[in-house]
């Protein structure tokens, strides 16, 4: 447990962005002033937990911030929609940007953290840089062979999500390397929902001897099981209900494993039966009733290498993950909640479950 120090001199001049009001945390658009604050925190023997985000904050992000506040005196949250993790055919402009709502949630969370008293940290700084700040020399490229200073973690970044989104993890690793260098946090926090991202980041930290501890928080879910995501605002009621197929498919596969099935075919067939059944049901409906989707992949992989496994080693377990793409609605009904964008934005959903190791004893 730690005792929170009095506010630092740097904190006495709170930045106002983008409105005229002052926040309970500092907002930084550039690197040098943030580093000045970081040095003061270091001298004062205070610790920093970094929570990287692209904004559009939801309960999953807030749970990571709470975890960071329980383990550090100060929490830095980055809000930056990183252009280099969007491919040339992906719509960067459609990603939700909700600054006012985000800072309101962070202010409310800071009040909650303050009410807990000593032993709980606070949100001290928000890093909301421009693209020029994060990519100061060359404009960021989303081309597979584009120029730029990039961090590539292969072969991990070429698998699963990387097979469909070839520049995605290059962009993630690059921006995280930049954030880690800027903040120099004792600990960084990521959610389990983006399981491949957690594996890539852990590998990067290990391979580049980055002095930070990677902490993974559990996947936060809606009451019906849908994994929380900033993109869920685009679903609307109809695609939301059908989009549960991914979680239900993974749960069916998990059930097969928990029943003693170790073969790839037996585990993944359980998932496939669910996706095929729901897609068949939707295909029988009319355009104003159905929500169509495509399965990108359902994976059963080694927890460290993400290599596909034919048989799960019960002593190691495995990562069960998948991705589906919800197609735009073909036709909407009067008064229907179609989500942000009126149901016209395709939505990629990802999810995963960890098949935990089973204690094996010799009989």
């Amino acid at each position: 447990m730690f005792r929170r120090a009095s506010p630092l001199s740097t904190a006495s001049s709170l930045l106002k962005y983008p409105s005229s009001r002052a926040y309970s945390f500092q907002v930084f658009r550039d690197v040098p002033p943030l580093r000045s604050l970081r040095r003061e925190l270091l001298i004062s023997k205070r610790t920093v937990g970094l929570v990287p985000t692209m904004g559009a904050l939801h309960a999953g992000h807030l749970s990571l911030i709470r975890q960071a506040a329980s383990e550090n005196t100060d929490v830095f949250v980055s809000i930056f929609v990183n252009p280099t993790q969007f491919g040339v055919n992906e719509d960067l402009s459609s990603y939700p940007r909700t600054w006012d709502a985000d800072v309101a949630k962070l202010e409310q969370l800071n009040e909650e953290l303050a009410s807990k008293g000593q032993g709980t940290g606070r949100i001290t700084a928000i890093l909301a840089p421009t693209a020029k700040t994060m990519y100061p020399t060359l404009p960021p490229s989303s081309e597979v062979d584009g120029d730029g200073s990039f961090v590539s973690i292969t072969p991990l970044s070429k698998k699963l999500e990387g097979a469909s989104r070839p520049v995605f993890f290059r962009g993630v690793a690059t921006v995280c390397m930049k954030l880690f260098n800027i903040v120099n946090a004792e600990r960084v926090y990521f959610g389990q929902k983006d399981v491949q991202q957690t594996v890539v980041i852990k590998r990067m930290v290990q391979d580049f001897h980055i002095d930070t501890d990677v902490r993974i928080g559990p996947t936060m879910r809606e009451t019906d099981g849908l994994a929380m995501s900033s993109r869920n605002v685009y679903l609307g009621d109809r695609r939301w209900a059908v989009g549960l197929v991914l979680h239900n498919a993974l749960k069916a596969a998990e059930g097969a494993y928990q029943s003693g099935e170790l073969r790839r075919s037996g585990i993944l067939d359980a998932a496939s039966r669910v996706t095929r059944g729901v897609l068949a049901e939707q295909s029988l409906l009319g355009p104003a009733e159905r929500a169509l989707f495509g399965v990108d992949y359902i994976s059963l992989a080694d927890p460290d290498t993400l290599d596909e496994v034919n048989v799960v080693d019960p002593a190691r377990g495995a990562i069960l993950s998948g991705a589906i793409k919800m197609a735009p609605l073909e036709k909407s009904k009067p008064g229907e909640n179609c989500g942000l964008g009126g149901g016209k934005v395709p939505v990629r959903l990802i999810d995963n479950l960890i098949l935990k190791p089973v204690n094996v004893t010799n009989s």
Side-chain angles (χ1 to χ4, degrees), residues 224 226 231-246 278 282 287-294 324-333 336-349:
D224 55 14
L226 186 71
R231 298 179 186 273
N232 289 352
V233 295
Y234 293 108
L235 288 173
D237 293 341
R238 198 191 323 172
R239 291 196 294 174
W240 182 298
V242 175
L244 288 168
V245 64
L246 177 57
V278 173
Q282 293 299 306
E289 302 291 336
R290 67 191 178 198
L292 300 179
F293 64 91
I324 65 173
K325 188 172 184 179
M326 301 300 303
L329 293 179
E330 300 164 276
K331 184 178 180 181
S332 61
K333 295 177 289 188
E336 180 181 10
N337 173 19
C338 297
L340 188 65
K344 301 182 185 302
V345 180
V347 183
R348 184 179 181 84
L349 300 178

Side-chain angles (χ1 to χ4, degrees), residues 51-73:
V51 183
T53 84
M54 294 209 300
L57 303 181
H58 52 69
H61 297 115
L62 302 185
S63 71
L64 292 176
I65 295 170
R66 289 188 184 93
Q67 182 181 351
S70 72
E71 299 174 351
N72 303 274
T73 60

Side-chain angles (χ1 to χ4, degrees), residues 175-205:
V175 78
C176 284
M177 179 71 84
K178 291 170 180 281
L179 291 171
F180 294 176
N181 286 338
I182 291 168
V183 176
N184 191 26
E186 279 82 5
R187 301 168 188 89
V188 294
Y189 297 81
F190 295 89
Q192 183 65 50
K193 182 183 79 74
D194 300 295
V195 64
Q196 186 174 4
Q197 175 175 275
T198 68
V199 176
V200 168
I201 294 302
K202 284 181 177 179
R203 179 70 61 84
M204 182 182 78
V205 166

